[in-house]
Amino acid sequence: MTKPIYVLWLSQEDVIAAGGLDMAATMHDLERVFRLHAAGDTTLPEKIVMGWQEAPANEQANHINIMPGYAGGDMQALGLKVIASFPRNPYQHDLPRASALVILHDTQTGLPLAVMDDTLISAMRTGAATGVATRWLARPDVQRVGLIGAGVQCRTQLMAVKVARPSIQEGALFDIRRPRAEAFVAEMNQRLDLELRVADSAEEVVRQAEVLVTATTTVHPIVEHGWLTPGSFYAHVSGYECEYDVIRHADKIIVDDWQQVKHRMYSTVALMWRDGLFTDEDIYAELGAIVSGQKPGRENKTEITLFSPIGLGLHDLAVAQRIYRAAQAQGIGQQVKLWDKPQWM
Ligand SMILES: NC(=O)c1ccc[n+]([C@@H]2O[C@H](COP(=O)([O-])OP(=O)(O)OC[C@H]3O[C@@H](n4cnc5c(N)ncnc54)[C@H](O)[C@@H]3O)[C@@H](O)[C@H]2O)c1
């Protein structure tokens, strides 16, 4: 006996209506999945990164990443994320750099349950990973944040850092495109009741920061050795964003998944490993080991802690699972028919 099968379609507005902008909940999702990952109760193939064009000189290339995964335990999230990164979109097409979908599948039957906008979820989960890291790796009393990059990611990075450290009241942001920096500061000061200001240089941002985030589309280092203050926490979110010496002089380097970081071969720590200047032993821990209590996070007021995540599809699935359940409970989204009756069995 068969019955019609429907898939739930959730637009970005639906995702938001189902709790997509709740950063505290997103951080909770990530903590759960970090623990499952540390316990080995996840499946996480290396992401497929597909580029097909030469990048313009000194710019990132367009690419699409495909990121499947499974999270076990009481989460039972199965599916995949597809994300396109077109770094010139904001300037050439008035569109975000990244656009993404996530497909959730039923762990019992394999049937697709939901397809939803992941553009928002991806940004939220990237922020949330830093938020979780901030909880464990930043000093408890920090007041000043520093941000480089006035894009989508730095917005959610800031939301998450503020959830982890409500003591943050002020800070500085730099972007090579000043109008973007000004728009960011105006929006986020209002949203988070902060006193951020636009800085004239990356150095100015770094030197005042107790929590520093870089989330830019740069292909050249923008953070130099000697700028970070003792006791600071640095979330290095994107590619080759800091000089090798910044990594060398950090006391603890933490990643989300070292194998994934090496495979993606994109961020500063990965490039150093490729160049034989960084070994597996130089990684202090994956964040899941700290979240699940296998290793301590920050241990004193002066160490410099550095988090370099590459982003795991598992994180999107964990958030998508919560959104799917909330959408179902609240009748949000559109049911789209997959079939009345399968043609063949
Ligand atoms: N690690 C992860 O999990 C993860 C997840 C998502 C995105 N990312 C990376 O984060 C980066 C930013 O993503 P986004 O969505 O915010 O992009 P975006 O295009 O919205 O913003 C990027 C910003 O960086 C600025 N910028 C570029 N070069 C700069 C420089 N040298 N100095 C200062 N600012 C500079 C741009 O002007 C722009 O405002 C991307 O490279 C992306 O690959 C990482």
Side-chain angles (χ1 to χ4, degrees), residues 254-334:
I254 293 92
V255 291
D256 46 6
D257 182 298
W258 182 222
Q259 185 54 37
Q260 294 277 335
V261 171
K262 288 191 287 189
H263 170 260
R264 181 66 180 87
M265 191 44 66
Y266 169 65
S267 45
T268 310
V269 279
L271 301 176
M272 286 179 75
W273 176 82
R274 177 199 64 193
D275 293 347
L277 300 169
F278 192 90
T279 68
D280 294 353
E281 289 68 42
D282 290 325
I283 292 292
Y284 171 72
E286 293 182 348
L287 188 57
I290 296 176
V291 172
S292 53
Q294 295 165 24
K295 280 196 128 175
R298 170 174 291 277
E299 289 172 287
N300 63 57
K301 285 183 173 176
T302 55
E303 61 187 352
I304 292 180
T305 50
L306 191 151
F307 179 51
S308 179
I310 197 60
L312 312 182
L314 288 174
H315 295 164
D316 303 74
L317 293 172
V319 180
Q321 180 83 316
R322 169 174 56 85
I323 298 296
Y324 170 64
R325 289 191 176 142
Q328 269 192 316
Q330 296 168 52
I332 295 168
Q334 273 175 273

Side-chain angles (χ1 to χ4, degrees), residues 47 60 63 81 83 85-88 90-91 96-98 122-123 125-127 129 148-155 157 174-177 180-181 202 214-222 236-239 241 256 264 266 308-312 315:
K47 52 180 98 168
Q60 290 184 352
H63 61 275
K81 162 186 185 171
I83 182 161
S85 174
F86 279 59
R88 285 155 292 285
Y91 321 110
R97 174 193 64 82
S122 180
R125 68 73 149 145
T126 305
I148 307 182
V152 172
Q153 305 311 319
C154 263
R155 283 172 164 77
Q157 294 284 314
F174 174 72
D175 193 290
I176 46 171
R177 296 177 172 91
R180 277 173 77 82
T214 54
T216 69
T217 41
T218 189
V219 291
H220 301 297
I222 46 180
H236 174 300
V237 175
S238 189
E241 292 192 298
D256 46 6
R264 181 66 180 87
Y266 169 65
S308 179
I310 197 60
L312 312 182
H315 295 164

